Every structure is written in structure tokens, then in C-alpha cells.
């Protein structure tokens, strides 16, 4: 066996938290190796150790059978490690070539380095089918193309091991397929690919071997051909999980929420939403699919009153809202709309506030904060304790600051707050982003319960699986426009993928 | 990336760390005193005696403390909304104008029980107006509050020079100051208030304004942590986006915060003008507005902390006068040096001792599971 990378008993602690405990890992040369685990399982820490951004407290790293001391990412690059981060690290105002050159300009004047870099870039893009125009500005590229630039950057130094951290989160299914094709070419050329993901389907589709992490430990190594999604999920969570959502057919009632020719143009005059029409009935979930950045955020924030719609109108539980009404989130909330924001850290929570204060955020003017002029902390505490118990927030400590909860439990605080208000209409954005498998199961169940209780739910998510398994109907956004609304029973990944790329479907439900 | 240190326990963060910072500041100052050929221990003794022991010393200390409480609260309230109010100096000056206008305009016609609250209110409202304009410009026009409040200090100073040298100048007076305010609006001296109760203290500038300062602390506490407005202020301060999401009117909250913040600074005039000078003199704010930033910083934006920090700065101001008096080679400027060191250690270098201290405590205290799961 030819091992490209081997870790022996690697451990890393942050203060009292053991992020990695005695990790052993062997990656064969010329293979695609998946690393899977819940959020906080220690995947990113481990990759940062390999890439030299953290130093291990103990343990050894071997590259190509040779023990090396990785002190910085420069060391790692020298030993043939390349990494594509989850968040791209490109300068948008530079061309592709300039971005690739970054860090290896070579000498005082740019001219010499540029020629060499261009040659290398063209060579790489030809060898691995990484099609991209060297002279295009990065800001003009789409997400898939930007990712290719990142891969070229990682490979330019002759990387033998390529680490990809959650690479498909921002891609359409078709773009993801193209990425996987590129990875296969790389593998056949002898490069080892380390693929970090929490999507079981990707692991099954593309990897040769897979390692599973849980709470800082390696809990198993499998050959992909000899395992199943069910086994992987159980290893990740440490108990049996329900992968499929048990969704009964919807019983839609009256229309509770509708948009007519809705448009939103931002302060710079850029049209971000155009001519959006939909209606959501009591007892149904309307999913909104699309590659992220195609107007989902603007749609959610416009519906929630955080931005002012600039054309068209909304009908919220019988109240007409037009561009002339300068709405704000307070007015919309008072009409009976709950809102789980897409980004809980930016909008849903005040991280430096205690849990009990977050549990009344948005409801500070209601009886939840006490009946009198002053805050009633006994009532606020009681409110938080009750909701924490009901929604299984852990640890159930109302005095703990929101920032000290795990991602899943932070989300549960937001969900507990919004669901308990018993909204007639609920806007849900990315309900399970950064949430672990166990909590996902719980959140999905709660959403369906609310639907069956008669709530009209609009669900935005970048996880196509989530949209498909929860929604009764699916609206697809592309470039701020509604491409079509289809019945989820008739939707498959292929159709949705084409719609996400902007192809209109004749068969609208 | 460096390894994050374990968090400091609350008691160490609130009590131990400030004491260490203070000690470090005094230590460096001690070295400097030593370098100019005086005995630092002796100098410290003189300062402490001057501030607390000598007859009337405590009265003076608390008089200065009162000023620092007002400006400290002003800075701290704005800071809860994440606004850096550098304009305490100007707001206090205009507060003096407000107190004087209330006194000259209404005070002359009213008895003390009505006139005093009106004059105090005048100081609060005038200071508030000087705070609310930068607040409005920040909230609605995006002009940075730091820049505008600094500019408003200059505006206030120029306005006061113009008024005191012109329209409000006392007839026949050579130095720029107003006539004596209406008697009914003057605050009684603490010594005079306590005498009927059978308590005799040495007469000093300490006056009823000290009680107003204590009241302001209580109001501050209730406002910030027990009212809806306070919740809104803290939400906007910690996360404007989340506050907007929660239906809080961010612009309005900023404007109201700056109004109250300016009002607190304006109350300084109750001490200096209504309680002590009894007329508006030039530059009566003497830098208290700026030192208020250090007081708020050291007091962690909490009224109790602000009181302690204000007491420290008050004692330094008073004790420093004694230093100047007792030692040939030590001048009043030494106090500025000590203040500077304290600001340096507890403000700019606030976290210098934090990591080693946290590691030391973590070694001694048995490791517990961290709170997060």
C-alpha cells in the first residue's frame, strides 16, 4: 500500500475542550477519501492541523512515509498539501491569473512570475479539465468557476494531497457533478483527495474510503463499497437515526399568505427580486429552492419586513401590504408572522445576551417580558425554562450566553421562541444549517407538526434534500425570478437542478 | 493561530484583574517617583491621607467623584448602545448653560423646592440636546458619532466663550462669567444638610449633587437592565441586525440613547455650577468629560464599577493636590501621569494580565466540564 498521508495519535486541545483525541488516519495515494462527521466533531481542526494552521499537541504527521513537522501552511504546501477552504479566499478585483500568482509572484517585477504562472495555469486546466479564462476578473465568475480557481491555486505547487472543505454547499447539483468529475481525474493522476462533508450522498457517490469522526474521535474507517448511509449516520451520531422524514400528505386549507408581482430593488438600483407570485395555504409547506445567492435572502427579508418591497403586493392573513406601506419587522410580526432567519448569528440571536433574553427577542414588548413597565425577570426566567424543556435545549441554563450553546442548540432557542408564539404564517430560512444530524431530525419533526396544526410555512434552504423531503410544493428561484412552482411529488433532483440553472418548466402545478 | 486561553472566572475578572492593573500602574509611577529622587511609599501615603484623612479631604474627594460619576455614566450608557460618546465635555458645558437659563429665567420667581428640580432638569435637557444632535446625525445620516461629538465639544466651548464674554457677561465684570445664579436654585452644601441631623463634617464643596449622582446611578441600573428601552439599547449595541429583526427601531434607539447620555453629562453642571461655583465660569468642565471615558472603561459600564472608578479618580484628583503641596520636586502633573498609567493598564492593556492569570487560576481550580455541550 502506498500511503500519501498518515496521522498517528494526533491530539489537540483548546483549553479544556479536546477537539481531537488520538486520531489515526491513513490516506492512500490516488484515492478519494471522505471525512464525515457532525458539526463540532473535529473535522475542521484536523484539517487545519494537516494544513499547518494549528499545531497538534501530540502525535505525528507523515507525508509519503516520511515524518514531518508542519509548523505553518507554508510548510504544508512545501510538502505537497493543498487546501480549498469552504469560504473562498480570492481577491474579486483581480483576474484569475493574478489570483493564482498570489503568494508566488517571484521577484521584484511581476512580468517574469506572470509568464510562469500562466504556463502552469494553462497546463493544469488542460490536464484536469479545469476550464477557466485566465484573464477574466474573479468577480465576473460564477461560484463553480471560482471553485476551480481555488483548486488550481491549491494544485499549482504540485500538491499530492488536496483537501476540500464542504465543497458542494454552494453548487447546483450539476456543478457538483462537474466537480466530482474533476476530482476523479485528479485521483487517476495520483493525487489524493480528502473530502470533508456532512452529506452522506456525496460520500457514497464519490469516495473510495471514508473515515467517520464523532466528538473529536475517529470512530471508524470503512471502504465505501462496504458500508451504507444508515451505518455512516449511526456512526456519526452514535445512535440510530431516522434519515427519511415521515411526512403525511398535506391537507391545505385557506390561503394565508400570498405575493403578487413582488419586486425588490436595492438602494444601488440593482433589481434583486422580480415579479414573484406565490401563495401558501394553511397546512402546507412551500419550499423555495435555488443556488444560494439567487434572491432567497432578499425574498425572506422582504417578506419579514426587514426590507421594503419596491413593487407588487403581499397579502398576509388578509392584510394587504404594498410598497407604499413602509413596513418594518414589528408590523409584520404583529400580523401573525413568525420568522426563523437564515443566519441565526446575525439576525436570530444576540450572542452576548443570555438565553432567557434571547428567548424574548422580538417579543420584548409583549407579556413574555412581564406585565408592568419594568422587566419581570421571574417571568422571563420561567418562560425560558419552559421552552428549553419543551424544545430540549441543552444545557437547559437560561443564564448562559447564547454564544456558548452549540449550533444546534442555538437554533433550537430561535425555533422555540418563534414556534411558541403560534404564528399563522411562518418564514423559515436554512433551519438546519450548521446543525447536527440528531437536531435536524428534531427540527424537521417540529416543522411538520406545526404544518399539521394549520400553519402556512414558507421554507428556504440550500439543502435540496431538505426542501424535497419537507415541502408540499417547491418554488425555484433563479436570478431573483420565480422559475416555476412544482408539486414536490413530481420533483426530482434532475428537474430541480435544471430549474435552478434557470430553465423554465412548462408543467407548473 | 494561538491556543485560546480558558475563560477567567467572574470574580477574578471583576475584582482581581482591576486590582492587578491598578497595582501595575502605581508600581510604574512609583519607579518614576523614585527616579526623581523622592520616596514613593511616602508619596502614596501623602496622597491617601490627602484624599481621605485630612480634614475636608474626603469631602473634596467625593466632590470630584460626583463629576466623574456623571460623565462616566454618560459614556457608559452610550457604550451599551455601542456608541462612543466622546462629547461629554461639550454636553456638560451646555448643561451649565441649561442650568443657568433655568435659574435666571424661572428660578428667580420660584421657591427652592420647585426651582432646584427645574434647574437640574435644565442641565439635563440642555446636555441631552447637545447629545441628541450627534445621535441624530449618526442614526439618520451616518455621520460617525466619534467625529461629531468631538466637533460638538469645540462648538460648545466656542459658544460658551461667546456667551460668557458677551450676552451673559455680568455687568461690570472683567473675567468671562455670569452673575450669581438665583439663590433658590443653588444646591445646599452637604455639611449644611447634615448639621441639623446632628452630624458635623468639615465644610467642603461637597453638596447635594452627590445625592443626585447616586440617584442617577440607580436610574442607570434600572434603565439598562430592567426596562424595555434598556433591552432595546443593549440589543442595538450588541447586534444591530438582530435588533432590526426583532422589530426594534434602531435609529430611534440610538437617538434616545444619545439624548439620555448627553443628559447625564449635563448633570455635571449641578455639581460644578448649582452646587459649587454658583455662577457659570469658563471651562468649568476641566476635562471631566474626557476622563469619564476612562471611568466608564474601568467601571465596566456598570454603575457600581463606575462609582468605584470615579472614587479612585476623585481621590487621585484630591490627593494629587496634596502631593504638589508636600513635595518640592513633585508637581500636580504627577497626578496626570498616574491617571495616564491607570488608563493605560486598565484600558489599553486591559487584557495583558488576563491570559497568564487565567492559566494560573485554571491550574489551581479543579477543571470542570465547560458549560457548552
Amino acid at each position: 500500500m502506498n500511503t500519501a498521508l498518515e496521522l498517528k495519535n494526533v491530539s489537540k486541545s483548546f483549553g479544556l475542550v479536546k477537539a481531537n483525541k488520538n486520531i489515526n488516519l491513513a490516506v492512500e495515494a490516488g484515492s478519494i477519501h471522505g471525512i464525515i462527521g457532525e458539526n463540532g466533531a473535529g473535522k475542521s481542526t484536523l484539517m487545519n492541523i494537516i494544513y499547518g494552521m494549528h499545531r497538534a499537541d501530540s502525535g505525528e504527521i507523515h507525508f509519503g512515509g516520511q515524518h514531518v513537522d508542519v509548523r505553518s501552511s507554508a510548510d504544508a504546501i512545501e510538502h505537497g498539501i493543498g487546501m480549498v477552504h469552504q469560504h473562498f479566499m480570492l481577491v474579486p478585483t483581480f483576474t484569475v491569473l493574478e489570483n493564482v500568482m498570489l503568494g508566488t509572484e517571484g521577484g521584484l517585477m511581476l512580468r517574469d512570475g506572470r509568464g510562469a504562472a500562466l504556463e502552469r495555469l494553462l497546463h493544469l486546466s488542460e490536464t484536469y479539465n479545469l476550464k477557466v479564462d485566465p484573464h477574466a476578473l474573479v468577480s465576473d465568475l460564477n461560484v463553480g468557476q471560482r471553485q476551480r480557481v481555488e483548486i488550481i491555486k491549491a494544485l499549482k505547487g504540485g500538491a499530492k494531497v488536496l483537501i476540500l472543505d464542504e465543497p458542494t454547499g454552494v453548487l447546483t447539483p450539476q456543478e457538483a457533478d462537474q466537480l466530482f468529475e474533476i476530482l476523479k481525474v485528479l485521483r487517476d493522476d495520483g493525487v489524493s483527495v480528502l473530502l470533508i462533508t456532512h452529506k452522506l450522498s456525496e460520500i457514497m457517490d464519490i469516495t473510495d474510503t471514508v473515515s467517520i469522526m464523532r466528538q473529536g474521535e475517529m470512530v471508524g474507517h470503512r471502504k465505501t463499497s462496504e458500508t451504507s448511509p444508515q451505518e455512516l449516520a449511526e456512526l456519526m451520531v452514535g445512535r440510530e437515526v431516522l434519515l427519511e422524514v415521515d411526512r403525511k400528505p398535506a391537507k391545505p386549507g385557506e390561503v394565508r399568505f400570498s405575493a403578487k408581482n413582488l419586486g425588490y430593488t436595492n438602494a444601488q438600483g440593482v433589481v434583486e427580486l422580480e415579479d414573484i407570485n406565490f401563495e401558501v395555504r394553511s397546512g402546507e409547506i412551500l419550499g423555495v429552492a435555488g443556488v444560494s445567492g439567487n434572491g432567497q435572502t432578499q425574498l425572506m427579508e422582504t417578506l419579514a419586513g426587514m426590507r421594503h418591497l419596491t413593487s407588487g403586493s403581499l397579502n398576509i392573513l388578509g392584510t394587504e401590504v404594498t410598497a407604499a406601506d413602509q413596513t418594518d419587522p414589528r408590523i409584520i410580526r404583529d400580523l401573525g408572522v413568525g420568522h426563523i432567519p437564515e443566519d441565526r448569528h446575525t439576525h436570530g440571536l444576540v450572542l452576548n445576551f443570555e438565553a432567557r433574553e434571547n428567548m424574548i427577542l422580538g417579543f420584548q414588548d409583549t407579556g413574555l417580558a412581564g406585565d408592568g413597565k419594568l422587566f419581570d425577570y421571574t417571568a422571563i426566567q420561567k418562560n425560558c425554562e419552559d421552552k428549553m424543556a419543551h424544545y430540549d435545549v441543552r444545557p437547559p441554563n437560561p443564564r448562559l450566553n447564547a454564544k456558548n450553546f452549540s449550533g444546534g442548540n442555538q437554533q433550537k432557542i430561535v425555533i422555540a421562541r418563534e414556534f411558541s408564539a403560534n404564528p399563522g404564517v411562518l418564514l423559515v430560512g436554512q433551519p438546519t444549517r450548521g446543525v447536527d444530524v440528531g437536531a435536524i431530525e428534531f427540527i424537521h419533526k417540529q416543522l411538520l407538526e406545526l404544518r399539521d396544526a394549520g400553519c402556512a410555512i414558507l421554507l428556504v434552504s440550500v439543502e435540496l434534500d431538505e426542501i424535497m423531503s419537507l415541502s408540499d410544493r417547491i418554488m425555484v428561484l433563479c436570478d431573483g425570478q420565480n422559475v416555476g412552482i412544482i408539486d414536490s411529488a413530481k420533483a426530482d433532483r434532475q428537474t430541480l437542478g435544471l430549474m435552478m440553472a434557470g430553465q423554465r418548466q412548462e408543467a407548473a402545478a | 493561530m494561538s491556543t485560546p486561553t480558558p475563560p477567567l472566572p467572574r470574580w477574578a475578572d471583576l475584582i482581581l484583574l482591576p486590582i492587578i492593573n491598578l497595582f501595575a500602574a502605581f508600581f510604574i509611577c512609583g519607579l518614576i517617583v523614585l527616579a526623581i529622587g523622592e520616596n514613593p511609599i511616602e508619596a502614596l501615603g501623602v496622597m491617601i491621607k490627602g484624599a481621605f484623612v485630612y480634614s475636608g479631604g474626603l469631602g473634596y474627594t467625593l466632590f470630584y467623584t460626583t463629576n466623574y460619576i456623571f460623565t462616566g455614566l454618560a459614556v457608559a450608557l452610550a457604550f451599551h448602545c455601542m456608541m462612543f460618546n466622546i462629547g461629554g465635555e461639550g454636553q456638560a458645558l451646555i448643561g451649565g448653560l441649561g442650568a443657568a437659563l433655568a435659574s435666571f429665567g424661572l428660578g428667580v420667581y420660584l421657591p427652592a423646592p420647585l426651582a432646584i428640580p427645574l434647574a437640574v432638569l435644565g442641565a439635563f435637557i440642555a446636555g441631552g440636546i447637545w447629545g441628541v444632535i450627534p445621535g441624530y446625525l449618526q442614526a439618520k445620516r451616518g455621520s460617525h458619532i466619534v467625529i461629531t461629538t468631538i466637533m460638538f465639544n469645540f462648538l460648545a466651548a466656542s459658544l460658551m466663550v461667546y456667551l460668557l464674554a458677551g450676552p451673559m457677561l455680568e455687568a461690570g465684570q472683567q473675567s468671562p462669567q455670569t452673575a450669581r445664579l438665583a439663590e433658590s436654585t443653588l444646591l445646599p452644601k452637604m455639611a449644611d444638610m447634615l448639621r441639623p441631623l446632628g452630624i458635623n463634617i468639615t465644610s467642603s464643596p461637597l453638596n447635594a449633587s452627590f445625592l443626585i449622582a447616586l440617584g442617577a446611578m440607580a436610574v442607570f441600573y434600572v434603565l439598562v437592565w430592567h426596562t424595555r428601552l434598556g433591552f432595546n439599547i443593549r440589543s442595538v449595541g450588541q447586534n444591530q441586525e438582530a435588533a432590526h429583526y426583532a422589530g426594534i427601531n434602531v435609529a430611534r434607539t440610538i437617538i434616545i440613547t444619545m439624548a439620555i447620555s448627553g443628559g447625564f453629562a449635563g448633570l455635571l453642571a449641578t455639581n460644578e455650577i448649582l452646587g459649587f461655583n454658583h455662577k457659570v465660569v469658563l471651562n468649568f468642565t476641566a476635562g471631566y468629560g474626557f476622563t469619564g471615558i476612562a471611568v466608564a472603561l474601568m467601571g465596566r459600564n456598570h454603575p457600581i464599577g463606575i462609582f468605584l472608578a470615579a472614587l479612585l479618580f476623585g481621590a487621585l484628583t484630591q490627593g494629587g493636590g496634596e502631593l504638589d503641596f508636600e513635595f518640592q520636586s513633585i508637581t500636580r502633573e504627577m497626578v496626570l501621569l498616574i491617571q495616564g498609567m491607570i488608563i493605560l493598564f486598565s484600558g489599553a492593556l486591559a487584557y495583558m494580565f488576563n491570559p497568564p492569570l487565567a492559566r494560573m487560576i485554571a491550574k489551581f481550580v479543579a477543571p470542570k466540564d465547560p458549560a457548552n455541550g
Side-chain angles (χ1 to χ4, degrees):
Chain A
M1 189 173 99
N2 190 1
T3 314
L5 167 70
E6 191 171 8
L7 301 183
K8 288 182 180 167
N9 281 320
V10 168
S11 295
K12 174 78 185 169
S13 302
F14 295 108
L16 299 172
V17 182
K18 287 198 161 55
N20 283 158
K21 282 177 256 181
N22 299 323
I23 301 288
N24 288 297
L25 176 70
V27 181
E28 264 182 75
S31 73
I32 300 181
H33 190 107
I35 306 272
I36 195 162
E38 296 187 298
N39 278 288
K43 297 175 302 218
S44 296
T45 306
L46 189 64
M47 292 309 119
N48 283 330
I49 289 173
I50 298 173
Y51 196 55
M53 290 165 85
H54 290 320
R55 287 206 72 184
D57 298 335
S58 61
E60 294 180 358
I61 303 176
H62 295 251
F63 289 136
Q66 185 189 355
H67 178 208
V68 289
D69 189 17
V70 185
R71 292 167 178 274
S72 66
S73 42
D75 280 355
I77 291 167
E78 198 177 307
H79 287 109
I81 307 285
M83 185 156 175
V84 175
H85 294 270
Q86 192 171 0
H87 302 285
F88 298 158
M89 302 192 175
L90 298 172
V91 185
T93 53
F94 279 12
T95 64
V96 170
L97 179 60
E98 284 167 330
N99 269 288
V100 171
M101 284 173 68
L102 215 59
T104 51
E105 295 87 352
L108 187 64
M109 306 300 281
L110 282 178
R111 208 181 53 188
D112 304 343
R114 187 181 290 148
L118 182 60
E119 203 175 299
R120 184 90 189 116
L121 193 160
L122 292 173
H123 173 74
L124 285 171
S125 76
E126 198 153 315
T127 316
Y128 300 122
N129 199 20
L130 289 159
K131 274 177 259 160
V132 60
D133 173 9
H135 303 292
L137 281 180
V138 164
S139 54
D140 293 336
L141 302 183
N142 68 31
V143 185
Q145 291 168 324
R146 288 183 198 202
Q147 194 170 48
R148 279 177 227 160
V149 180
E150 283 282 12
I151 295 174
I152 292 174
K153 265 177 70 184
L155 291 175
K156 72 177 173 188
K160 286 276 158 246
V161 177
L162 181 66
I163 304 171
L164 294 149
D165 191 1
E166 304 275 358
T168 58
V170 290
L171 304 179
T172 62
Q174 281 82 359
E175 282 174 324
D177 287 342
Q178 286 171 16
L179 172 69
F180 292 157
E181 288 309 315
I182 293 166
L183 296 186
K184 282 177 190 160
V185 177
L186 283 168
R187 172 185 62 190
D188 298 342
D189 202 46
V191 176
S192 305
V193 177
L194 259 177
L195 181 71
I196 322 288
T197 183
H198 63 267
K199 291 182 189 165
L200 292 166
S201 57
E202 289 176 2
I203 291 289
M204 297 310 294
D205 284 353
I206 175 110
T207 62
D208 303 311
T209 45
V210 54
S211 299
I212 304 98
M213 291 188 76
R214 183 172 74 230
Q215 292 173 358
E217 290 180 88
M218 266 306 168
V219 291
H221 303 281
R222 296 283 185 277
K223 274 200 171 354
T224 310
S225 53
E226 292 165 9
T227 186
S228 68
Q230 192 63 38
E231 187 195 18
L232 291 177
E234 281 169 28
L235 281 168
M236 275 165 71
V237 183
R239 63 176 170 81
E240 212 174 305
V241 283
L242 219 60
L243 282 181
E244 292 294 311
V245 184
D246 179 24
R247 180 164 60 93
K248 295 183 205 65
K251 300 187 195 73
E254 79 285 1
V255 175
R256 287 197 170 177
F257 190 51
S258 62
K260 211 170 148 196
N261 308 112
L262 177 76
Y264 171 74
T265 307
N266 71 11
Q268 285 76 43
V270 178
V271 178
E272 299 202 284
L273 290 175
E274 203 179 348
D275 205 18
I276 305 274
N277 290 287
F278 65 83
E279 52 186 42
V280 195
R281 292 173 176 273
S282 161
E284 76 164 349
I285 297 179
L286 175 67
V288 179
V291 180
S292 67
N294 274 278
Q296 296 97 318
T297 303
Q298 288 79 359
L299 179 67
M300 285 292 275
E301 295 191 1
T302 307
L303 298 180
M306 293 169 69
R307 299 168 189 245
H308 302 306
L309 57 153
T310 45
S311 61
S313 65
L314 288 173
N315 190 306
I316 304 169
L317 293 160
T319 307
E320 193 82 0
V321 176
T322 65
D325 302 311
Q326 294 285 306
T327 54
D328 66 33
R330 154 90 27 245
I331 296 171
I332 302 291
R333 192 181 288 280
D334 289 346
L335 289 175
V337 179
H339 179 200
I340 313 258
E342 287 185 288
D343 185 340
R344 59 179 168 269
H345 286 180
T346 310
H347 294 114
L349 295 166
V350 179
L351 290 175
N352 283 331
F353 273 13
E354 291 171 356
R356 59 180 187 171
E357 291 177 300
N358 274 297
M359 209 59 105
I360 58 166
L361 189 69
F363 299 90
Q364 66 271 19
D365 297 328
T366 70
L368 287 187
D371 298 323
K373 280 217 177 313
L374 297 183
F375 268 17
D376 177 354
Y377 277 105
T378 322
I380 291 170
Q381 177 88 9
K382 179 84 175 45
N383 169 59
C384 189
E385 279 169 3
D386 290 350
K387 284 174 187 165
M388 282 178 141
H390 189 255
Y391 288 89
D392 190 30
V393 181
R394 276 177 270 181
N397 177 3
R399 300 299 303 270
L400 197 61
N401 279 355
K403 66 178 174 200
N404 294 328
F405 287 88
S406 70
N409 283 298
Q410 288 175 343
Q411 187 70 342
K412 280 187 192 170
I413 292 175
V414 178
I415 283 174
R417 181 181 73 209
E418 299 299 316
F419 282 17
S420 317
N422 208 6
V425 174
L426 185 66
L427 307 170
V428 187
Q430 320 291 0
T432 56
R433 177 186 277 174
V435 170
D436 44 50
V437 176
I440 289 175
E441 193 186 346
F442 177 84
I443 290 168
H444 284 173
K445 219 174 116 232
Q446 292 286 336
L447 266 173
L448 288 172
E449 268 177 29
L450 204 67
R451 177 198 77 165
D452 293 339
C455 186
I457 300 176
L458 186 113
L459 167 73
V460 169
S461 173
V462 290
E463 304 286 350
L464 210 45
D465 293 331
E466 179 166 60
I467 295 274
M468 288 169 67
S469 61
L470 288 177
S471 312
D472 301 304
R473 291 183 301 137
I474 300 172
M475 169 165 82
V476 181
L477 284 186
C478 180
D479 208 15
Q481 297 188 17
N482 179 0
V483 182
I485 297 180
I486 58 173
D487 203 318
S488 73
K490 295 174 195 153
D492 56 45
R493 298 182 69 85
Q494 191 62 26
T495 320
L496 288 174
L498 290 173
M499 289 172 78
M500 282 158 75
Q503 283 191 21
R504 286 187 184 275
Q505 293 295 304
E506 302 309 320
Chain B
M1 271 172 78
S2 65
T3 307
T5 48
L8 208 54
R10 207 172 145 77
W11 59 269
D13 188 36
L14 288 182
I15 300 165
L16 196 55
L17 198 61
I19 290 176
I20 293 176
N21 283 331
L22 204 58
F23 186 81
F26 274 107
F27 182 75
I28 302 283
C29 292
L31 290 182
I32 293 168
V33 170
L34 207 59
I36 57 175
E38 299 287 351
N39 182 345
I41 305 290
E42 208 178 308
L44 185 65
V46 167
M47 271 183 61
I48 292 175
K49 278 188 200 146
F52 297 107
V53 181
Y54 291 154
S55 168
L58 183 62
Y60 271 95
T61 295
L62 291 179
F63 171 73
Y64 296 128
T65 300
T66 307
N67 287 338
Y68 290 125
I69 291 175
F70 286 130
T71 54
L73 290 178
V75 174
L77 184 76
F79 196 75
H80 276 292
C81 199
M82 224 40 105
M83 294 284 122
F84 289 88
N85 182 9
I86 315 293
E89 196 78 3
Q91 290 146 16
L93 272 176
I94 301 298
L97 178 64
L101 291 179
S103 178
F104 290 131
L106 296 165
V108 280
Y109 309 110
L110 297 168
L114 285 176
I116 288 176
L118 271 177
V120 172
L121 198 64
F124 185 87
I125 290 175
I129 290 173
W130 217 247
V132 87
I133 302 170
Y136 173 85
L137 292 172
Q138 168 78 64
K140 297 282 191 187
R141 292 284 174 266
S143 318
H144 202 285
I145 198 95
V146 171
I147 309 293
T148 46
T149 48
I150 289 174
M151 292 303 164
F152 265 66
N153 287 337
F154 290 111
L155 289 180
S158 306
L159 179 67
M160 292 305 275
V161 170
Y162 164 73
L163 289 175
L164 293 183
M168 290 179 80
L169 182 68
E170 185 184 4
Q173 181 53 260
Q174 293 283 324
S175 60
Q177 61 184 42
T178 65
R180 192 175 164 82
L181 302 183
E183 288 300 325
S184 61
T185 54
L186 302 182
L187 291 174
K189 289 254 181 337
M190 200 62 95
D192 298 333
M193 287 165 72
L194 292 177
R195 200 167 299 118
L197 303 174
I199 305 166
N200 281 304
I201 60 168
T202 318
S203 186
S204 69
L206 184 65
N207 58 74
S209 181
F210 181 62
L211 302 178
I212 299 177
L214 296 183
M217 280 168 52
V219 168
F220 181 99
Y221 176 77
V222 173
L223 171 70
V224 172
W225 284 284
H226 288 273
T227 65
R228 292 178 163 82
L229 176 60
F231 186 84
N232 292 358
I233 290 172
R234 287 184 295 126
S235 300
V236 171
Q238 291 295 333
N239 186 344
Q240 271 195 24
E241 299 278 324
H244 178 56
Y245 156 84
I248 294 166
N249 187 329
V250 174
R252 196 175 64 193
T253 306
I254 290 174
I255 292 170
I256 294 174
T257 305
M258 283 305 293
I260 304 174
S261 171
F264 277 137
L267 287 179
L268 182 140
T270 64
N271 195 35
E272 283 285 340
I273 304 297
L274 300 178
F276 176 62
N277 282 308
H278 298 162
K279 61 191 168 225
V280 183
V281 297
L282 208 58
N283 295 332
F284 67 87
T285 50
Y288 292 113
F290 294 120
T291 314
I293 301 167
V295 171
L297 201 68
M298 223 190 145
R300 302 288 184 90
N301 304 310
H302 190 284
I304 301 293
I306 287 169
F307 179 81
L308 294 175
L311 187 63
L312 174 69
F313 278 86
L316 283 175
T317 310
Q318 167 59 15
E322 293 292 328
L323 267 189
D324 183 25
F325 198 67
E326 293 274 330
F327 293 90
Q328 278 252 300
S329 46
I330 301 180
T331 62
R332 229 189 138 71
E333 276 67 43
M334 180 57 74
V335 173
L336 292 181
L337 177 77
I338 300 174
Q339 283 191 358
M341 283 296 163
I342 290 174
I343 293 169
L344 186 69
F345 277 98
S346 60
L349 302 175
Y351 294 101
M352 186 169 74
F353 295 114
N354 196 324
L357 190 65
R359 259 179 259 133
M360 238 161 63
I361 291 173
K363 251 181 221 165
F364 286 108
V365 182
K368 275 185 294 185
D369 280 334
N372 50 340

